[in-house]
Amino acid sequence: MAQDSVGLPSDFQFWMRKLSVWDQASTLETQQDTCLHLPQFQEFLRQLYEALKEMDSNAIIERFPTIGQLLAKTCWNPFILAYDESQKILIWCLCCLIKKDPQNSGESKINSWTQGLLSHILSTFRSDIKEVDLFTQVLGYAPTDYYPGLLKNMVLSLVSELRENHLNGFNTQRRMAPERVRSLSRVCVPLVTLPDFEPLVEALLTYHGHEPQEVLWPEFCDAVNEAFLLKKISLPTSAILCLWLRHLPSLENTMLRLFEKLMSSERNFLKRIECFMKDSLLPAAACHPAIFRVVDEMFRYALLETDGALEVLATLQVFTRCFVEALEKENKQRCQENQWRKESFQQTALKQVDIQLKFAFKTYFPYASPSLVMVLLQHPKGLTGRHYKHTSEILQASFQTTAIKSCGGPFESWFLFVHFGGWADMAAEQLLTSEAEAEAPEALLWLLAFSCGPGAGRQRRAQTMVEVKAVLSGLMKLLRSPTLSARDLQAAAGEGGEGAPRPPACQQLIRRLLLNFLLWAPGGHAIAREVITLMAQTDAIMHEIIGFLDQTLYRWDHLCVEAPRSRKLAQELLAELRGQA
């Protein structure tokens, strides 16, 4: 924090000049400039407080001789007082100026002056709201001493006026002028976190005029999105959907926030990622195809930029599961509404209304085979080797078609498949836990090899299948062995042997097979920790194993897989490895 306070004197002078220009923010130009600088000024106040709390009042006056002027100007600026946490931080700064035991009349005078400013701040927007005159003048209302009840009525009046636009259509005499809507959104920038203004924020977001260009101020959309992500404002899904449809940077920032969590504090914590995702309303909003396509494209670029990072793949699968769940819920509600509407029309002997059709999955996955999408949407729990073989055949045919016709090449089929990554994991478990039909293993092996990535050509994929089949054969022999050791498992995996090193994707696939073996084989539980110690030679592999265990438990929870011993071992290993990481 000391480093942050080094530049405070120059920043102090900059903000003194700004506050002098803003004065009482009486013109549209100064209002606009104030709103643009509110986040930076709040951060300056925060840094100023961090410096002030380390000094006594005498040292404060000595270092910042004009601090009284700066804080006084700040206290009388209603935009600053209304913005986010600025009022709270300002109170902290003023409290630093108060001398607990004043020694002379000068210190007592400073205390009295400071307490006066504190009283002014604490009364603002509560009992006597003269500062609201500024906003009411801009919005066309006569200057009055407004109280909370009248403020609420003013907000509701504006909300009603905005919503009337939907009813009046092109009746320009009764519609709110676009310039007034834009001015209103600008004035609301510092107010978006205040509960009394939430109805107005929602009405602005859902406002639909007939203007060729966006009328809402971009900074208003940014402020709303930031407040929503920080849970400082509560808005319905419809309002957030409108926000993202009319302001793409807000949707992009939401996705970037998700990726930041993924690569930092929430890495390998899929349940937390799911909670953030649902709280952000991304899956529900993605029921609109335009939102889905943007989110999907950002996942696509993230996979390309990270060479198919497992964390990104896992998050894409969580998003897809939540999206499908939200889509099913929305379609169910739509069907119920349509059924009610149909019955209502029949009862009144009117013409039967057409049932609204839901979006076809082709709208969300335009490059994919519709039959393949429908197959992947099936619930994979309890399916036999025959079903996996069927999925593999459809996927292989789609892959060959896409490679020829699509500009995206084989990546498109692979990208669709990894949305539903549980299929590959279930295929690995199927190979290790059931007696498959004679031809089934080849199909499942192809499925696993294909899941490694789209970059591998036919020859490399065939070689991966050979490698995995050999490892699988060794593991099946160990299943029948009365005793197991970590070295036996290492030998079955072909590690440490001669020959060309395996490609990284193939090595990763074989590690997942070994981990599955440890979870499902009766004798695997006793040697699991030793095997993982031998396997985790690098931090990257350690995180890969943690990710596998987290994804496995997450998938089992959602598929209601009953495997008490395997689940207990996975939970214990995950807790231990997270403690070591």
Side-chain angles (χ1 to χ4, degrees):
M1 191 56 65
Q3 185 178 359
D4 293 338
S5 65
V6 172
L8 270 181
S10 59
D11 290 344
F12 193 97
Q13 296 304 319
F14 170 80
W15 290 115
M16 274 292 294
R17 290 192 295 270
K18 276 289 183 187
L19 288 166
S20 298
V21 172
W22 293 343
D23 195 18
Q24 293 185 4
S26 57
T27 67
L28 289 176
E29 290 75 15
T30 52
Q31 290 172 22
Q32 182 173 349
D33 190 56
T34 304
C35 292
L36 283 172
H37 288 84
L38 284 174
Q40 296 96 314
F41 184 71
Q42 178 173 281
E43 182 57 30
F44 162 74
L45 283 179
R46 194 183 300 277
Q47 293 180 11
L48 180 63
Y49 167 69
E50 293 295 335
L52 297 181
K53 72 179 184 179
E54 303 296 334
M55 299 184 284
D56 59 30
S57 57
N58 293 332
I60 291 173
I61 300 300
E62 183 178 348
R63 185 175 181 189
F64 304 107
T66 57
I67 191 169
Q69 297 178 40
L70 181 137
L71 295 179
K73 288 179 181 292
T74 303
C75 287
W76 290 97
N77 189 307
F79 281 84
I80 296 175
L81 292 182
Y83 179 71
D84 199 30
E85 298 183 339
S86 295
Q87 187 183 86
K88 178 176 67 176
I89 302 171
L90 183 58
I91 292 174
W92 294 348
C93 291
L94 287 170
C95 289
C96 292
L97 298 182
I98 295 178
K99 192 83 170 179
K100 292 183 178 180
D101 298 309
Q103 301 298 318
N104 51 57
S105 59
E107 291 180 351
S108 298
K109 187 176 180 180
I110 291 177
N111 278 3
S112 178
W113 173 83
T114 304
Q115 289 167 357
L117 288 179
L118 286 170
S119 297
H120 164 72
I121 294 175
L122 294 174
S123 65
T124 301
F125 295 111
R126 293 189 181 180
S127 58
D128 185 14
I129 316 178
K130 294 181 180 180
E131 285 78 3
V132 178
D133 291 349
L134 168 66
F135 302 115
T136 58
Q137 289 174 15
V138 172
L139 301 175
Y141 288 82
T144 313
D145 289 337
Y146 279 83
Y147 291 91
L150 294 177
L151 175 62
K152 182 178 180 180
N153 290 336
M154 182 188 72
V155 169
L156 292 177
S157 175
L158 288 167
V159 169
S160 299
E161 193 174 351
L162 284 166
R163 288 176 177 168
E164 282 181 2
N165 282 22
H166 297 294
L167 302 175
N168 296 329
F170 287 98
N171 185 353
T172 55
Q173 292 182 349
R174 297 187 62 187
R175 289 176 60 239
M176 184 181 287
E179 297 78 13
R180 190 157 180 252
V181 176
R182 187 171 182 82
S183 176
L184 181 58
S185 68
R186 178 174 60 234
V187 170
C188 283
V189 169
L191 307 173
V192 295
T193 58
L194 298 180
D196 287 340
F197 283 84
E198 282 187 11
L200 182 56
V201 171
E202 180 182 346
L204 283 168
L205 292 175
T206 55
Y207 164 83
H208 292 290
H210 301 279
E211 300 78 17
Q213 296 181 339
E214 178 57 62
V215 296
L216 296 185
W217 214 41
E219 284 75 9
F220 167 76
C221 296
D222 288 332
V224 172
N225 195 63
E226 184 68 16
F228 173 71
L229 292 178
L230 295 176
K231 298 184 178 181
K232 294 182 178 181
I233 185 174
S234 177
L235 292 171
T237 305
S238 57
I240 297 301
L241 175 61
C242 290
L243 168 64
W244 290 342
L245 285 173
R246 67 197 310 163
H247 191 247
L248 182 60
S250 292
L251 175 57
E252 293 173 338
N253 286 335
T254 302
M255 284 297 295
L256 291 175
R257 190 73 56 87
L258 171 64
F259 289 138
E260 287 173 3
K261 284 181 172 291
L262 177 61
M263 297 304 177
S264 57
S265 59
E266 310 303 336
R267 184 179 183 184
N268 293 325
F269 285 91
L270 291 185
K271 287 188 177 180
R272 295 183 188 176
I273 290 293
E274 179 183 351
C275 289
F276 171 80
M277 207 173 284
K278 288 185 174 181
D279 287 345
S280 71
L281 300 182
L282 273 171
C287 292
H288 192 292
I291 299 293
F292 179 87
R293 295 294 300 279
V294 172
V295 173
D296 210 44
E297 282 299 306
M298 293 191 72
F299 272 117
R300 181 195 303 269
Y301 287 124
L303 286 172
L304 290 171
E305 290 296 322
T306 60
D307 293 325
L310 294 176
E311 294 91 342
V312 180
L313 281 171
T315 306
L316 171 60
Q317 290 157 20
V318 172
F319 166 76
T320 305
R321 194 197 66 77
C322 295
F323 158 71
V324 171
E325 183 181 282
L327 196 62
E328 290 174 347
K329 180 180 179 181
E330 182 183 87
N331 288 333
K332 183 178 180 180
Q333 291 175 345
R334 184 184 296 113
C335 289
Q336 292 174 345
E337 291 171 0
N338 286 333
Q339 182 63 31
W340 175 86
R341 193 179 298 116
K342 175 182 175 182
E343 293 173 356
S344 177
F345 271 74
Q346 288 175 339
Q347 289 172 2
T348 54
L350 295 177
K351 182 180 178 181
Q352 181 176 335
V353 67
D354 290 332
I355 300 298
Q356 181 182 359
L357 296 176
K358 58 185 177 183
F359 290 112
F361 278 104
K362 185 71 175 177
T363 312
Y364 301 100
F365 303 101
Y367 305 112
S369 161
S371 59
L372 177 60
V373 173
M374 297 311 296
V375 169
L376 292 175
L377 280 170
Q378 294 180 71
H379 205 277
K381 181 187 176 184
L383 298 184
T384 63
R386 184 181 297 105
H387 291 88
Y388 286 106
K389 180 177 181 293
H390 179 59
T391 302
S392 177
E393 290 171 349
I394 294 178
L395 185 62
Q396 190 168 9
S398 174
F399 165 72
Q400 293 169 346
T401 303
T402 305
I404 296 172
K405 295 183 178 180
S406 172
C407 59
F411 181 86
E412 294 302 335
S413 289
W414 177 82
F415 184 55
L416 171 67
F417 182 66
V418 296
H419 280 74
F420 308 91
W423 282 95
D425 296 321
M426 292 290 287
E429 292 178 3
Q430 182 80 15
L431 285 167
L432 289 166
T433 59
S434 66
E435 292 292 336
E437 299 176 7
E439 69 274 13
E442 288 295 327
L444 296 183
L445 288 172
W446 190 92
L447 204 63
L448 288 175
F450 181 75
S451 70
C452 289
R458 181 179 301 177
Q459 185 175 357
R460 179 178 292 181
R461 191 174 298 110
Q463 181 59 35
T464 298
M465 290 175 63
V466 171
E467 296 269 2
V468 172
K469 191 172 185 178
V471 171
L472 182 63
S473 176
L475 293 177
M476 298 306 287
K477 290 178 182 178
L478 290 178
L479 276 176
R480 297 185 291 270
S481 175
T483 58
L484 275 179
S485 71
R487 296 297 177 186
D488 291 337
L489 202 60
Q490 200 173 24
E495 297 179 6
E498 298 180 358
R502 293 164 175 158
C506 183
Q507 293 178 18
Q508 191 178 96
L509 177 57
I510 289 174
R511 281 195 293 269
R512 295 176 82 86
L513 277 175
L514 293 180
L515 291 169
N516 267 306
F517 178 87
L518 293 174
L519 293 179
W520 289 103
H525 293 211
I527 61 171
R529 290 165 177 80
E530 184 182 356
V531 172
I532 288 176
T533 300
L534 292 172
M535 196 184 299
Q537 297 296 318
T538 64
D539 288 342
I541 295 178
M542 173 69 82
H543 282 293
E544 178 190 320
I545 296 171
I546 293 174
F548 168 83
L549 294 170
D550 184 49
Q551 293 162 32
T552 299
L553 288 169
Y554 178 83
R555 177 169 50 83
W556 286 353
D557 286 341
H558 286 287
L559 294 179
C560 302
V561 175
E562 296 180 4
R565 292 183 71 251
S566 300
R567 181 184 294 273
K568 181 181 178 183
L569 176 63
Q571 291 170 339
E572 291 174 353
L573 291 173
L574 181 59
E576 293 171 12
L577 294 176
R578 278 176 174 165
Q580 299 171 17

